[in-house]
Amino acid sequence: MQTDIDPRSLIGRKAYDRDGHKIGTVDEVYLDDATGEPEWAAVRTGLFGRDAFVPLEPSKLVADGLHVPYERSLIKDAPDFGVGRHLSPEQELQLYHHYGLDLPDSPSPDTSFGTVPDGDD
């Protein structure tokens, strides 16, 4: 997804599955702890529904809303962690597995805590 999008601008947008069917409305956006980039969106799947977490990459933001390239059933079956809370690393791992996404590169021990590697690898 475009990284120059203000995550707040996603809130309230309609979300659509890969076939263009509306799946709900974006309730919240979750940022990556390390980069601050938008990574997940919680989509309210109905008036009395629940929030389904969807990955913002490889989703696309277009004029009519957020297009998520997955089947409606897969989205609706996503793990439900509730909204308004921080996603733990374990919860994110569950989401990556649910959507069949490659895990992001994890930082090596010498690059944690904001240190810069010296390049002598």
Side-chain angles (χ1 to χ4, degrees), residues 66-79:
L66 181 68
H67 288 259
V68 183
Y70 297 100
E71 291 181 2
R72 178 185 203 113
S73 60
L74 182 68
I75 295 166
K76 287 194 173 213
D77 287 342

Side-chain angles (χ1 to χ4, degrees), residues 23-66:
I23 53 173
T25 304
V26 177
D27 260 355
E28 295 205 32
V29 175
Y30 291 77
L31 307 180
D32 181 275
D33 287 339
T35 66
E37 297 294 329
E39 186 171 11
W40 301 97
V43 176
R44 173 69 54 179
T45 58
L47 186 58
F48 299 106
R50 64 179 191 85
D51 283 279
F53 285 85
V54 297
L56 291 175
E57 180 62 42
S59 298
K60 302 284 183 216
L61 181 62
V62 294
D64 64 338
L66 181 68

Side-chain angles (χ1 to χ4, degrees), residues 10 52 67 80 89 102 114 117:
L10 292 170
H67 288 259
D80 183 7
D102 292 332

Side-chain angles (χ1 to χ4, degrees), residues 11-31:
I11 307 294
R13 293 228 187 188
K14 302 297 181 213
Y16 301 90
D17 70 4
R18 74 177 187 183
D19 297 319
H21 299 112
K22 181 181 168 197
I23 53 173
T25 304
V26 177
D27 260 355
E28 295 205 32
V29 175
Y30 291 77
L31 307 180

